[in-house]
Amino acid sequence: MAMNLRVPEDLDRRLEQLAAEEHTSKSALLLQGAELVLQRYGRRREISEGLEFVMSHDAELLKRLEDA
């Protein structure tokens, strides 16, 4: 899929510098960044779902531990 993206000048300069240092393209860096964002939000969702599971399935145990 093709996409046009407007990047602020400062960010563009920094991406250009990093791309040169890493011998890659700005597009590759932006794709890596997008992947990192998706991973971060995925982990947050997994943690939230795990916490909800524990709170609902182990509510009685947690209450006993709180009173101990």
Side-chain angles (χ1 to χ4, degrees), residues 34-51:
E35 184 63 38
L36 289 172
V37 167
L38 292 171
Q39 288 174 10
R40 177 182 294 169
Y41 281 97
R43 280 193 300 273
R44 286 182 184 174
R45 186 173 37 254
E46 288 172 356
I47 290 169
S48 180
E49 290 171 357
L51 183 57

Side-chain angles (χ1 to χ4, degrees), residues 7 10 16 18 20 24 42 44 62:
V7 178
D10 179 57
E16 188 77 41
L18 182 58
T24 190
R44 286 182 184 174
L62 291 171

